[in-house]
Amino acid sequence: MNTQAILVINCGSSSVKFSLIKPTSGETLLSGLAECLLSSEAIITLNIDNGTKQQHKLAAPFNHQTALAVLVEQLEQHHLVDDISAIGHRVVHGGEKYSQPTLVTIEVEQAIKQLAKLAPLHNPANLIGIKACQLAFKNLPQVVVFDTAFHQSMPDKSFMYGLPYSLYKKHAIRRYGFHGTSHYFVATQAAKQLNKPLEQCNFISAHLGNGCSVTAIKAGKSVDTSMGMTPGEGVMMGTRCGDIDSGIIFHLVENLGYSIADVDKLVNKESGLLGVSGLSNDCRTLENAMQNDNHAQATLALTVFCYRIAKTIASYSASLTQLDGLIFTGGIGENSSWVRTEIVNQLSLLNFYLDEEKNQLTRFGVSGNIAKNNARACWVIATNEEWVIAEQSAQLLSKVVQ
Ligand code: ADP
């Protein structure tokens, strides 16, 4: 089939991110975000290829459907509708069932609904996006790409918890990992830098944004990752605490008057950089406070954040027998030279040393190897999950729609 462009949709409970992408080149023809959905503040912002930016307030009922109707209108106005050959959806949880992109069928929709048990905040929202697109783009095939899929190659020693086996067998309680599309994308880009097939490459990739995860990649496949059954596990993040002693939760509930809902809010929304600093979850704000105001808690938050990431990276020496390099991506990984220095300075045992000049220059969309000569490679690579979704959707369609 002739795949001109794929409309990539990432649907949250009150937002829809979209990009119209040419899968072969990654060129974005249109992109944007509908936000504050389900409230009268609902607004859609569109960035058109020629540099134009437009904002439209959405009319009642302010929902995903309304947002997609405006998107279709805009696509028509810019003569882009006929370019779309399919819709590619980002879906957060694919459980053990999905390790590959999949065409949407009634069974797949059912499975995404079932998997909402494991991702109650994300999968239902993703499903709303699929339903809304089925109405808005009636004749187009819809593909789902799962955030967990790349990690399905993990061996059982990585994905099992030290809990009774029956919880895994009966209730699917295990590590799944997230940010899979991003870890996969940056690994393909690093392999290109090495001029080697991905299947011959071993990396550790650190996706550091509001959510953060670190992945060990062996022969091009994920063999361990820091996020778990939910995105809450692993390194410290913007507002999530990451790993803590489970005993703390019992203490909070039994002795400090917390309800389970309070604990949920505490560990997911009030912890991490925000919780430790008492100031902000935004890395830029914390760096400013540390450098300009000598803010002790901001310094502590950033220090703990970096140490925990360095420790996780080092722990993957147990997963790999050879290592081509470390990859930084995500808003913090791509832009904060301070965070990269702080992390890499704690990894000299693995022969990681940064060239500080390169480190300072590799920000704001610039990619490259920032390691010292003779040290192990350390790349900064801007992630592009949308392109992977477009590419994988197009590849799947070329197989099934001849
Ligand atoms: P999300 O997980 O929501 O996609 P992003 O990948 O966009 O998040 O990353 C958001 C984080 O990136 C924020 O903590 C923000 O402070 C950080 N960030 C963005 N630009 C910079 C910068 N120039 N310096 C330091 N941190 C930055």
Side-chain angles (χ1 to χ4, degrees), residues 209-211 281-284 287 330-332 335-336 363-364:
N210 268 316
N281 64 319
D282 193 305
C283 185
R284 286 164 292 202
E287 282 187 42
I332 299 176
N335 296 303
S336 174
R363 305 172 73 188
F364 312 129

Side-chain angles (χ1 to χ4, degrees), residues 140-173:
L140 290 178
Q142 318 256 338
V143 177
V144 281
V145 176
F146 296 94
D147 222 26
T148 47
F150 180 57
H151 301 300
Q152 275 301 302
S153 48
M154 280 190 289
D156 52 8
K157 70 172 181 183
S158 303
F159 72 67
M160 282 301 294
Y161 290 119
L163 289 166
Y165 191 71
S166 57
L167 285 177
Y168 164 56
K169 278 322 261 183
K170 283 198 201 138
H171 301 291
I173 295 179

